[in-house]
Amino acid sequence: MRIGWPRRVSAQVLLMQVAITTGVTTLTAGLFLAPLAHEIDHQAEQRALAIAQSVASDPQIARDLVTTRPSPDGPVQAEAEQVRKRTKALYVVVMNTAGIRWSHTDTFQIGQIVSTDPRDALDGREVMQIDSGTLGRSARGKVPLRDADNQIVGAVSVGIQYSSVRSRLVAIVPSVLMYAGAALAAGTLAAYWASRRLQRATHGLAFADISALLDEREAMLHGIREGVLALDPQGRVRLVNDEAQRLLGLDGDAAGRPLDDLLPPGRTTDVLAGRAEGADLLTVSEGRVLIANRMPTEDGGAVVTLRDRTELETLGRELDSTHGLLDALRAQDHEHANRLHTVLGLLELGLTDAAVDYVAEVADTHRASAEEVADRVHVPLLSALLVGKAAIAAERGVTLRISRATWLPDRVVDPRDLVTVLGNLIDNALDAAASTVEVELRAERTTLVLRVSDDGPGVQPELRERIFTEGWTTKKSPAHRGRGLGLALVRRLAERYGGMARVGARAGGGAVFTVVLPEALASAEFTAELSSAVPGGAR
């Protein structure tokens, strides 16, 4: 079987890491041994020099050198041999200014001229070197020899056998190799562990497979009609596709930059950064209504998907208005039937004038009530809801009143969400009210404030948070099964917009429900743009 270069990324990385570890370990061992050899040589030279200095410091050696002849039995040879044996040096040579030996390990060399040049030492300089002589290669130290008058009368040369110096280095090599082998083994194990992790991370793919997957990912991300934005754990943009750039108004160099630097402060930035939690979060960016979903990744980052709902919102306004009108008509059906029966009775009794007056009064009252709602609430779906709820309230003997502070322009981003919020609050208020329910809708730039109050028994302070819990209700009748969802839905919708829902006490008794919805209203500029883009204007 032919052995070739492996295809898997993990196997290739393992081989490269083992090769690098082996090379680095070998280089490190070599770099350690080279200066170590130099240091051992230097230590041997210093030792030889120290022995030579010790011999030269003895004034008797200088006197004997001057007063005696070179001889194997002379005092200089005897003293030099004693020093050599004590220090285990290779040789201790004492010479005169002519370079003639007075001492030597080989007595036949006494009286002969030294084999290496002694001029540096005879000139008064100390010398350390590795050199070869009659006894072979040695580490040498040479110093001048001075008499009592400090005059140079000769020199002392001491040698340390070089084989003993190298033996120290050779003795250290096995330890160095053992440590190098341990380091290599540890590096190989670390490389194997890293390759296993890489194999799991890459699912055993080859480089060619990874390249193909990247090409497919790029084609998919830039081809889909949803915006995709990937963030790292520090909130920097990892990836943004073409649709996300269009929806958020980003330029082409967004990758690698913090999200807070790319987008202005506001709900859109909070939703993308994860500071607003929930699913299908609604936000407005660059004049577009967007639905955002954020999914955390394992490394602490996140992937955000964006859907454009601007066109659906534009097309759905007229349909919403129609549904609202149908709901209102359905709610008033029973009341109209009662009024018709009354008119029929008056006519059968021959009270024609009374029937005419009754019809006129009812028509004027109804028209005035509907016109008041339409003048204050310019969103057809919400105004129709209020008219219909007013009819239901009248049937229950409760007055549904629109606050004088109410003013709502036709700039609502998603009227259906407001119908859900307002409808649930009014229904709860009608169930609890004794005689009056008041509704207030107030626009504050792009924030909508809804307030519904009633003159019922109110909500105890200890229950003001529990009533927003899903499934919690005070209505025990079997006819009310399935309750306990309305207020929970109200709070979830409020939180989706980045707002809040709370309940308090009404002055004079009763309860006041307040819902604040930031970014529930589009800006005036966006509304004008949307109206001009849709034939017939936004309705």
Side-chain angles (χ1 to χ4, degrees):
M1 182 177 62
R2 186 174 63 88
I3 300 177
W5 187 252
R7 294 184 65 253
R8 289 185 177 181
V9 175
S10 57
Q12 293 184 22
V13 170
L14 175 60
L15 289 179
M16 288 187 290
Q17 286 181 328
V18 170
I20 292 172
T21 302
T22 303
V24 170
T25 303
T26 303
L27 180 61
T28 303
L31 293 176
F32 176 78
L33 290 174
L36 179 61
H38 177 74
E39 179 64 23
I40 291 175
D41 289 349
H42 184 65
Q43 289 177 0
E45 292 172 355
Q46 285 185 322
R47 181 181 170 215
L49 182 66
I51 296 172
Q53 290 172 339
S54 175
V55 173
S57 65
D58 187 355
Q60 186 63 39
I61 297 292
R63 286 195 297 268
D64 291 340
L65 178 66
V66 175
T67 59
T68 63
R69 304 266 316 159
S71 170
D73 300 326
V76 175
Q77 168 69 4
E79 182 63 27
E81 280 298 294
Q82 288 181 4
V83 173
R84 184 185 66 80
K85 292 176 181 179
R86 288 198 307 268
T87 60
K88 297 182 179 180
L90 178 62
Y91 63 83
V92 176
V93 173
V94 179
M95 70 193 78
N96 65 2
T97 55
I100 297 175
R101 302 184 184 96
W102 250 251
S103 64
H104 197 278
T105 303
D106 183 4
T107 57
F108 291 103
Q109 300 295 329
I110 296 175
Q112 303 295 322
I113 296 177
V114 295
S115 58
T116 57
D117 188 1
R119 281 182 297 178
D120 288 339
L122 294 175
D123 289 340
R125 294 187 293 272
E126 295 181 343
V127 179
M128 292 189 303
Q129 60 185 184
I130 302 292
D131 205 350
S132 299
T134 57
L135 297 178
R137 193 168 180 81
S138 61
R140 304 183 176 195
K142 299 178 181 181
V143 298
L145 181 62
R146 300 176 187 271
D147 60 10
D149 297 327
N150 202 32
Q151 297 296 317
I152 297 176
V153 296
V156 178
S157 176
V158 176
I160 303 297
Q161 190 172 11
Y162 197 68
S163 60
S164 65
V165 176
R166 282 302 177 189
S167 65
R168 293 180 57 194
L169 178 63
V170 172
I172 295 174
V173 169
S175 298
V176 174
L177 294 179
M178 181 181 66
Y179 286 118
L184 178 60
T188 303
L189 289 176
Y192 178 74
W193 174 79
S195 70
R196 294 293 296 174
R197 289 200 61 183
L198 182 61
Q199 182 179 5
R200 289 194 295 268
T202 59
H203 302 286
L205 295 175
F207 278 112
D209 299 330
I210 295 177
S211 177
L213 287 174
L214 288 175
D215 292 340
E216 293 172 3
R217 188 198 70 163
E218 289 298 312
M220 179 183 67
L221 287 177
H222 296 288
I224 61 177
R225 296 297 298 167
E226 284 194 357
V228 178
L229 183 73
L231 304 173
D232 66 10
Q234 287 73 40
R236 295 187 295 263
V237 176
R238 280 176 171 164
L239 172 72
V240 55
N241 70 346
D242 298 340
E243 184 67 5
Q245 289 183 4
R246 182 182 72 86
L247 296 177
L248 298 174
L250 301 177
D251 51 27
D253 61 346
R257 298 170 59 187
L259 185 63
D260 291 331
D261 293 347
L262 296 172
L263 298 176
R267 175 167 171 78
T268 300
T269 305
D270 292 340
V271 168
L272 298 181
R275 293 188 284 268
E277 298 181 355
D280 293 332
L281 296 177
L282 193 69
T283 184
V284 178
S285 175
E286 296 291 323
R288 296 183 178 277
V289 181
L290 305 179
I291 299 295
N293 282 284
R294 192 174 191 273
M295 178 65 67
T297 56
E298 292 183 359
D299 63 351
V303 175
V304 184
T305 58
L306 301 168
R307 285 176 288 159
D308 189 354
R309 240 182 69 173
T310 307
E311 296 179 1
L312 291 177
E313 179 61 31
T314 303
L315 296 175
R317 288 197 174 197
E318 185 172 348
L319 182 60
D320 289 340
S321 300
T322 303
H323 280 301
L325 180 60
L326 290 175
D327 291 339
L329 292 175
R330 191 177 297 110
Q332 294 180 4
D333 179 67
H334 183 64
E335 180 184 356
H336 290 167
N338 290 336
R339 290 171 179 172
L340 287 175
H341 292 158
T342 302
V343 172
L344 178 61
L346 291 173
L347 292 176
E348 288 180 350
L349 294 173
L351 302 175
T352 306
D353 293 337
V356 172
D357 293 339
Y358 177 73
V359 171
E361 179 183 358
V362 169
D364 291 341
T365 301
H366 180 72
R367 186 182 305 108
S369 177
E371 288 178 355
E372 179 186 5
V373 172
D375 288 342
R376 295 181 179 275
V377 180
H378 292 185
V379 181
L381 188 60
L382 295 179
S383 59
L385 174 69
L386 290 172
V387 171
K389 293 296 183 182
I392 295 174
E395 290 183 358
R396 299 186 183 184
V398 177
T399 300
L400 180 62
R401 189 168 58 204
I402 307 300
S403 170
R404 296 191 178 205
T406 293
W407 171 254
L408 182 61
D410 188 14
R411 291 191 286 112
V412 176
V413 173
D414 194 338
R416 286 168 293 186
D417 287 344
L418 297 189
V419 166
T420 301
V421 173
L422 188 58
N424 277 293
L425 294 180
I426 292 177
D427 287 342
N428 285 338
L430 291 178
D431 290 339
S435 61
T436 304
V437 172
E438 185 176 71
V439 176
E440 178 182 336
L441 301 173
R442 189 174 71 253
E444 299 176 356
R445 293 187 179 181
T446 59
T447 298
L448 176 61
V449 179
L450 295 87
R451 186 170 287 113
V452 177
S453 60
D454 63 76
D455 59 352
V459 180
Q460 299 298 322
E462 63 272 13
L463 300 179
R464 289 177 183 173
E465 282 300 316
R466 292 183 59 191
I467 63 174
F468 292 101
T469 303
E470 185 172 342
W472 192 90
T473 179
T474 58
K475 300 168 184 178
K476 306 298 184 181
S477 171
H480 297 114
R481 289 176 181 173
R483 289 187 176 270
L485 298 176
L487 291 179
L489 181 59
V490 168
R491 170 160 284 186
R492 282 203 300 269
L493 287 173
E495 291 174 347
R496 179 185 296 179
Y497 281 86
M500 60 85 183
R502 66 171 183 265
V503 60
R506 174 180 175 272
V512 179
F513 286 83
T514 303
V515 178
V516 179
L517 302 175
E519 305 293 338
L521 303 177
S523 63
E525 294 81 2
F526 173 52
T527 304
E529 178 185 347
L530 193 62
S531 298
S532 62
V534 179
R539 289 175 284 174

